[in-house]
Amino acid sequence: MWFRNARIYRFTKPFDVSVEELESKLEEAAFKPCGPQESFRQGWVAPLGRHGTQKVHSANGYHLIALRKEERVLPAAVIKEAVTEQVEQIEAEQMRKVARKEKEEIKEQLTQEMLPRAFTKSKRTFAYLAPKDGFMIVDAGSDKQAEELATTLRQAIGSLPIRPPALEQAPAFTFSGWLSETIDMPTTFTLGDECELKDTGEEGGVVRCKGLDLLGDEIRNHLNAGMQVTKLSLGWEDSLTFVLDEELALRRLKFGDTFQEKLDDIDADDAAAKFDASFTLMTLELARLIPALLEALGGEDRSAIVEEDAA
């Protein structure tokens, strides 16, 4: 159970929904397959798949959830071809031009007729809630996918006070400072060989570099020309590597060999136990990484965060 991506959300208020209540709410919004006339449907499923039935998998105070989305595959080209054939038939038989509004009505009608015969595809998006750390982490390759899960979770439980972490300074400023060596990079982090630079001018040109010395002259020349680093590959404590962008999205997250060794050392014969062990190892490591990363990027602005009452 290793996440390939990590999109970070900060709780702006303490998350006080119990595991039992969360389980109940997600069960009420459980996944059901698409109906014949539905283009898509989504709902909550057991994170352990066929190895479990609970909609919330908890370990050490971390709560794993999974959203499944099913869509009917109806290629636009197929619909377009069917619409064209029907329009041509009408124009030939009735000796008139089919107007745009009528074409849209034909398209809608044909789509509804073809939906029940369309194949379906589905995907699962995983996330875990870490109330004690104040974060929710989503394994999503895009902002849209992550926001879709957050919105669906908010609808299920009624309230979800989260937002991306706010930093004291822009990540692109820190990235650029690391590569120009005007800002010291913490020793626990190391540079990879990949980055993306953007022109801050109106044209907004983009330069993508891979397999280069990021402290070399080629990158330095782009920085001197006024470009900023908006994406950067990093390593952390010889245990994790990832590509970080200016929106604080971690992509291509890769756990080191030591994690697999730790997992191999765990005496667990069944798949569910292995799943639980890997989830525990991952969450504990990300719980160390995320605060260190936010601090390395200049520190988090916590002014809008409501802390736990002292009482």
Side-chain angles (χ1 to χ4, degrees):
M1 172 17 65
W2 308 126
F3 278 22
R4 294 187 295 272
N5 308 279
R7 290 182 181 267
I8 307 167
Y9 290 89
R10 161 68 78 181
F11 283 108
T12 56
K13 295 179 182 179
F15 184 77
D16 55 5
V17 179
S18 68
V19 177
E20 294 75 19
E21 183 180 358
L22 182 60
E23 174 71 29
S24 176
K25 294 292 187 182
L26 298 193
E27 184 61 46
E28 291 174 7
F31 171 77
K32 296 178 182 178
C34 282
Q37 297 298 327
E38 292 178 311
S39 58
F40 81 95
R41 184 178 273 188
Q42 59 187 12
W44 302 99
V45 295
L48 271 69
R50 61 186 178 86
H51 299 293
T53 58
Q54 297 290 103
K55 300 298 185 291
V56 182
H57 177 77
S58 295
N60 295 325
Y62 299 102
H63 313 307
L64 182 68
I65 58 178
L67 180 69
R68 179 177 173 183
K69 182 177 183 180
E70 183 178 81
E71 296 179 279
R72 290 196 174 276
V73 181
L74 196 54
V78 173
I79 299 174
K80 183 178 180 181
E81 183 178 352
V83 170
T84 300
E85 288 178 358
Q86 187 156 329
V87 167
E88 289 177 350
Q89 182 178 350
I90 292 172
E91 291 181 341
E93 292 177 353
Q94 301 181 17
M95 302 296 290
R96 65 180 179 85
K97 193 73 174 176
V98 175
R100 179 180 297 180
K101 182 179 179 180
E102 187 177 356
K103 286 182 181 178
E104 289 300 318
E105 292 172 350
I106 293 171
K107 179 180 178 181
E108 184 176 342
Q109 178 187 346
L110 289 173
T111 299
Q112 292 303 311
E113 290 175 359
M114 297 168 74
L115 268 177
R117 305 193 302 273
F119 291 106
T120 60
K121 66 175 183 178
S122 67
K123 65 178 179 181
R124 290 190 298 172
T125 303
F126 290 89
Y128 73 84
L129 297 92
K132 60 184 179 181
D133 300 330
F135 293 108
M136 182 176 83
I137 311 299
V138 185
D139 183 3
S142 68
D143 285 333
K144 180 181 178 182
Q145 185 182 355
E147 285 296 330
E148 192 171 69
L149 181 138
T151 299
T152 308
L153 180 58
R154 184 177 292 111
Q155 291 169 347
I157 64 178
S159 175
L160 187 66
I162 58 170
R163 69 168 193 190
L167 297 180
E168 295 286 356
Q169 61 190 29
F173 175 82
T174 306
F175 295 164
S176 302
W178 287 346
L179 298 197
S180 65
E181 298 183 279
T182 57
I183 298 176
D184 292 332
M185 172 181 280
T187 55
T188 52
F189 289 90
T190 55
L191 290 174
D193 64 353
E194 192 174 338
C195 74
E196 180 178 283
L197 303 101
K198 286 186 180 179
D199 189 346
T200 56
E202 293 182 1
E203 295 184 2
V206 177
V207 175
R208 295 181 178 88
C209 304
K210 191 172 184 179
L212 295 177
D213 176 7
L214 300 187
L215 299 179
D217 291 340
E218 186 172 349
I219 304 297
R220 189 68 59 91
N221 290 337
H222 289 305
L223 293 171
N224 290 339
M227 300 192 83
Q228 282 197 326
V229 181
T230 55
K231 191 178 293 184
L232 189 62
S233 61
L234 295 168
W236 181 66
E237 289 191 351
D238 295 325
S239 60
L240 286 169
T241 60
F242 51 90
V243 176
L244 181 66
D245 68 22
E246 59 182 336
E247 303 299 328
L248 299 183
L250 287 76
R251 295 185 177 89
R252 305 212 310 265
L253 192 60
K254 185 176 181 181
F255 294 82
D257 294 338
T258 54
F259 282 90
Q260 189 58 51
E261 292 170 3
K262 289 179 182 178
L263 189 59
D264 292 339
D265 289 340
I266 296 172
D267 186 17
D269 294 329
D270 63 280
K274 282 283 190 181
F275 184 101
D276 187 69
S278 62
F279 174 62
T280 298
L281 287 172
M282 180 187 73
T283 52
L284 291 177
E285 195 65 8
L286 290 180
R288 293 198 311 120
L289 167 66
I290 291 170
L293 182 61
L294 297 179
E295 185 62 29
L297 292 171
E300 188 179 4
D301 176 4
R302 299 177 60 90
S303 60
I305 298 173
V306 177
E307 306 287 356
E308 289 276 9
D309 294 335

